[in-house]
C-alpha cells in the first residue's frame, strides 16, 4: 500500500493527512494548533473500520518537531492509529509556498532543495521557515523516509515573461527577483485536471479559468494544461479583494499614506494584509457567510464589499478569456467558490455575451461533489469542483519517489 503523509506546516500549526494514493482513501487527517503554547490542541480524525472517529488532545507543544512527533505517534498508535508501523508510510509530501524560479515541478528533498527553500524565505517569510521546520523535523524523527516538496508557485512557472515581469526597471527583476510568482498553484492545477476529466477532453486541448475563492483568493488562466497568468503576484496580496487583503491597488496609495499618516512599515503591512479586503470594506467580518447575512438585512457596506469582490472576479474572467482567445471551462473552488450559491450566481450573471449560461437549479443543488452547473447549451461549461490540494500533493509525492527509485 502506498500511504503518503501530507504535511502543511504553518506558523503555529501542522495540518496533516495520511492517504493511500492507490485508492485516494484518507486514512487519517488532523490539525495541530497553537504550537508554541502550553495548551496546544491536536484534533485527530481517523478511519476505524468503515467510519471515521475523532480524538482530541490538549498538550504542551512548543515546536513543530514536537507536534510532528505526536502526529507520527497517533498514526501508529494501537488505539487511534491507522498503520501498523512507520514502514507502512511510503513517503512524506510537504506543501511549500515558495520555490522561487528554480522549481517548475515537485522535488525530492535533498540538502540543495532545503537550501533553496531557505533562500526563498525572503520572498515568503510567513510560510517558508515553518515548512523548513517541518522538513527538518521529519529528517530527525523519521530519517529513513523519503520526502518530497510540492511548491505553490511551481504550477505558475510556465507563465510567459510578458505575464510575470512588472513595469519596473528590469534590474529590479535581475537583482531582487521581483516578478509575479503566483500562488494557490496546487489548487489551480488540481481543479483544472479534474475539469478536463469531467469534460472528457485532454487538458492540453482546453482553455480553463480557475477561480480559487477562499479567505485568500486568486484566478488563474490555464491554456493547454499550463498556467499562463494568475492574479496573485510577487506576494499573495494583489488581484482579487480577499478576506482581509486589498487585492489590486494603485501602489502610490502606500506612499501617500506613509506620508499623510506617517505609517511605518509594520503599520502599512497590517493595513494591506489584515485590515483590508472584505473585512475593511464591510467593517463587519472577513467571513463571506457573515457578510452575505448582512447584505440580506440591507447593510450597504456589506453590499459594496460583495459587489467589489464579484466585479473583480468578472474583470479577471474577461481579461483571461481575452489573452487565451476563448474559454472552454470556468471553475469555482475553495470555501466561497464551493459553498456560495449567491456568489456563483452573481459572477455568472450578465455573462451571456461571453457564452456563460448558468443553470440556476444545478447551481442551487450543487452538493459538494464536482459538477457542471451551467445549462446544457452553455458555450462555456461552468463547474464547481471541491479543491483537494492534499490529494495532488500525495500523488505527486508518490510519483517522485517512484521515479527516484527507478533511476
Ligand atoms: P477557505 O479559505 O477556502 O477555507 O474559505 C473560507 C471562506 O469560505 C470564508 O470566507 C467563509 O465564509 C467561506 N465559506 C465557507 N462556507 C461557506 C458557505 N456555506 N457559504 C458562503 N461562504 C462560505
Amino acid at each position: 500500500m502506498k500511504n503518503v503523509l501530507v504535511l502543511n506546516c504553518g506558523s503555529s500549526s501542522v495540518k496533516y493527512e495520511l492517504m493511500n494514493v492507490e485508492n485516494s482513501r484518507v486514512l487519517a487527517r488532523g490539525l495541530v494548533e497553537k504550537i508554541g503554547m502550553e495548551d496546544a490542541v491536536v484534533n485527530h480524525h481517523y478511519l476505524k473500520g468503515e467510519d471515521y472517529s475523532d480524538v482530541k488532545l490538549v498538550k504542551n507543544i512548543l515546536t513543530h518537531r514536537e507536534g510532528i512527533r505526536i502526529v507520527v505517534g497517533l498514526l501508529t498508535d494501537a488505539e487511534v492509529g491507522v498503520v501498523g508501523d512507520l514502514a507502512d508510510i511510503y513517503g512524506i509530501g510537504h506543501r511549500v509556498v515558495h520555490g522561487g524560479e528554480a522549481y517548475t515541478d515537485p522535488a525530492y528533498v535533498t540538502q540543495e532543495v532545503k537550501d533553496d527553500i531557505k533562500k526563498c524565505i525572503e520572498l515568503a517569510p510567513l510560510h517558508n521557515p515553518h515548512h523548513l521546520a517541518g522538513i527538518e523535523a521529519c529528517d530527525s524523527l523519521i530519517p529513513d523516509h523519503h520526502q518530497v516538496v510540492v511548491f505553490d508557485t511551481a504550477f505558475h512557472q510556465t507563465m510567459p515573461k510578458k505575464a510575470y515581469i512588472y513595469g519596473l526597471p528590469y534590474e529590479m527583476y535581475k537583482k531582487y527577483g521581483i516578478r509575479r510568482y503566483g500562488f494557490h498553484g496546487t489548487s489551480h492545477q488540481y481543479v483544472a485536471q479534474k475539469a478536463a476529466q469531467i469534460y472528457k477532453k485532454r487538458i492540453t486541448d482546453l482553455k480553463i479559468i480557475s477561480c480559487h475563492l477562499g479567505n485568500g483568493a486568486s484566478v488563474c488562466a490555464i491554456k493547454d494544461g499550463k498556467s499562463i497568468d494568475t492574479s496573485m503576484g510577487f506576494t499573495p496580496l494583489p488581484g482579487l479583494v480577499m478576506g482581509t487583503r486589498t487585492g489590486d491597488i494603485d501602489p502610490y496609495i502606500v506612499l501617500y499614506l506613509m506620508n499623510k499618516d506617517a505609517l511605518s512599515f509594520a503599520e502599512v503591512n497590517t493595513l494591506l494584509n489584515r485590515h483590508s479586503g472584505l473585512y475593511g470594506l464591510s467593517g463587519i467580518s472577513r467571513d463571506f457567510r457573515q457578510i452575505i447575512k448582512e447584505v440580506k438585512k440591507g447593510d450597504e457596506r456589506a453590499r459594496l464589499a460583495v459587489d467589489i469582490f464579484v466585479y473583480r472576479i468578472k474583470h479577471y474572467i474577461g481579461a483571461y478569456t481575452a489573452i487565451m482567445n476563448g474559454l472552454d471551462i470556468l471553475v469555482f473552488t475553495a470555501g466561497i467558490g464551493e459553498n456560495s450559491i449567491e456568489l456563483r450566481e452573481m459572477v455568472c450573471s450578465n455573462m451571456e455575451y461571453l457564452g456563460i449560461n448558468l443553470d440556476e437549479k444545478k447551481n442551487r443543488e450543487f452538493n459538494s461533489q464536482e459538477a457542471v452547473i451551467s445549462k446544457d447549451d452553455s458555450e462555456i461549461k461552468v463547474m464547481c469542483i471541491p479543491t483537494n490540494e492534499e490529494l495532488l500533493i500525495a500523488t505527486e509525492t508518490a510519483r517522485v519517489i517512484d521515479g527516484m527509485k527507478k533511476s
Side-chain angles (χ1 to χ4, degrees), residues 212-216 243 278 286-290 292 333-343 387:
H212 177 109
L213 309 174
N215 247 328
L278 293 172
R286 68 175 194 173
D287 192 298
F288 197 73
R289 277 166 297 198
Q290 194 65 31
I292 286 287
T333 192
I336 304 171
E338 290 165 31
N339 293 300
S340 177
I341 297 166
E342 294 93 340
L343 183 276
T387 193

Side-chain angles (χ1 to χ4, degrees), residues 92 94 107-109 134-136 138-139 145-149 397 401:
I92 301 149
H94 296 265
Y108 188 82
V109 174
I135 296 166
E136 283 167 353
C138 293
D139 278 344
H145 279 66
H146 303 288
Q147 297 190 69
V148 171
V149 282
T397 298
I401 296 172

